[in-house]
Amino acid sequence: MKDFVTRTASFLITSALLLTACNPTNLGPETTTNSTSTAPGPATAIPIGIAVAQTSNVALLGQEQVTGVRIAEKYFNDRGGVNGTPIKLVFQDTSGDEAGTINAFQTLISQSQVVAIVGPTLSQQAFSADPIANRAGVPVLGPSNTAKGIPQIGDYIGRVSAPVSVVAPNSVKAALKLDPKIKRVAVFFAQNDAFSKSETEIFQQTVKDLGLELITVQKFQTTDTDFQSQATNGINAKPDLIIISGLAADGGNLVRQLRELGYKGIIIGGNGLNTSNIFSVCKALCDGVLIAQAYSPELSSPINTEFRKAYLDLNQKEPPQFSAQAFTGVQVFVEALKALDSQTKIKTMPLPQLRTALNKQVLAGKYSTPLGEISFTSEGEIVQKEFYVAQIKMDPDGNNGKFVFLK
Ligand code: 1QQ
C-alpha cells in the first residue's frame, strides 16, 4: 500500500512537471498553467505536434520525416514564423504501432496543447489515432498516409501525401516503358498493414487495366524476415514483373531474397520501400528497383530550391520524398496560421476555436511547396499535379546508392 502511495505521488509530481514543461501557454508566474481545453491560444511560440515513428522498424521511414520537419521549423522561424511569433515543434515518438500513436496523439492534444498535428507515419497508425484528434477538434495532416480512406476519417483529417490510387500506377507504366514485353505479373503484399493492402489493390487493378496478366498474389507480414516460401512460389509462376507492397525492412529483405533465389526481372517497390534506408537491407541487390514518387528534388521552384539546399547541407544527399512531404505538412500549418492571424489575432483566440479556424483555413488555402503547388479538397485530400518514378542505382559494392529519376 505504501509503495502504491509513493508511486502514485511520484507519478502525480512527474505529470505536473511534464504539464508545466510542455505547456507552451505557461508564461510564468502571472499566467496560470491550464491544461483544460479552454486555455487561451498560444502567446509565446506556437506549438505544432509531430507524431511520427522515431523508434522501431518504422523509424526507417519516420527518421526522414523528423529531418523534414526540423528543416521546416528553422526555415519558417528564420522568416518570422507566424507574423512574428515563432512556431515550436513538439515531438512525440509514436513508435511503430497503434498504441504508441494513440498515446502520442493524446499527449500532444491534452498536455502539450498543440494547435495541430503532423503525423503519423503509417496509415495503419492513422486509422486508429486520427479519430482521437478528430473528436478533440485538432487538425491533422498526414505526411505519409497514402491508403484509401484517410481524409474520410473526419473533418479535421487531411493529408499532404497523395493517395496510392494516384501514385502507384505510375511505376507500372514506367516498368512497361523499360520493358514493353512484360506480360506476367506477380504481386506481393503485407497483409497486416492497411497501406500495403490498399496499395496492392491499386497495383492489381492497374495490372488488369493495362492488359497484363496477374499470375499470383503472395502474402506476408511486415514483421517477417524469411520470405523463402513466398519468393519461391512467386518465382515458380514465372513472372516478368514483381510488385511489392510492404514496409522498408520487410520489403528490402524480400527484394534481397527474390534476387538471391534467382529472379532477374523488374521489381517495383511501393511507397513503403521509398527510402534509402532499404539500401543496408538489400545492398547491391536493391539495384534497379522502381518506385513511384510524389516528390522530385529537381522540381524548379523557389521553395524547393531552398528546401533542397537545406537538406543537402545537412545530409550531403538529395532530399527524399518523406522529408519533403513532412516539410510540407509543417508549411501548410504555418501558412494557414499566418493567413488566419492576419484576419483575427490568433493570440486572442481560445485554443479550441483556434484549432477549428485553423482546420478551415488549411482547406481554403493554396500552397507553393517543395511538392509543387498544392491545395485540398473539402474532405482534406491533397490536390497535387506532379508525380515521378525513380529507379534505385547501387554502387557495385552495395554500400551506397541513389534514386535516379526517370525522364
Ligand atoms: C502509408 C504509407 C507508408 C508506407 C509511408 C511511410 O504510405 O502507411 O500510408
Side-chain angles (χ1 to χ4, degrees), residues 155-177:
D155 289 348
Y156 285 81
I157 312 301
R159 61 175 155 195
V160 293
S161 43
V164 285
S165 56
V166 173
V167 181
N170 297 307
S171 56
V172 186
K173 290 174 195 152
L176 273 175
K177 224 169 131 187

Side-chain angles (χ1 to χ4, degrees), residues 61 65 121-124 144-147 193 195 246-247 271-272 322:
L61 306 156
Q65 303 180 304
T121 303
L122 300 182
S123 293
Q124 178 73 26
S144 55
N145 311 139
T146 61
D193 177 64
F195 146 76
L247 303 180
N271 201 38
F322 292 127

Side-chain angles (χ1 to χ4, degrees), residues 177-190:
K177 224 169 131 187
L178 289 179
D179 180 1
K181 292 205 293 292
I182 288 173
K183 208 68 217 154
R184 299 168 61 79
V185 185
V187 165
F188 290 64
F189 77 96

Side-chain angles (χ1 to χ4, degrees), residues 361-379:
Q361 185 62 48
V362 162
L363 298 180
K366 272 202 171 78
Y367 310 87
S368 178
T369 77
L371 310 177
E373 302 290 326
I374 64 164
S375 59
F376 297 92
T377 67
S378 58
E379 273 187 326

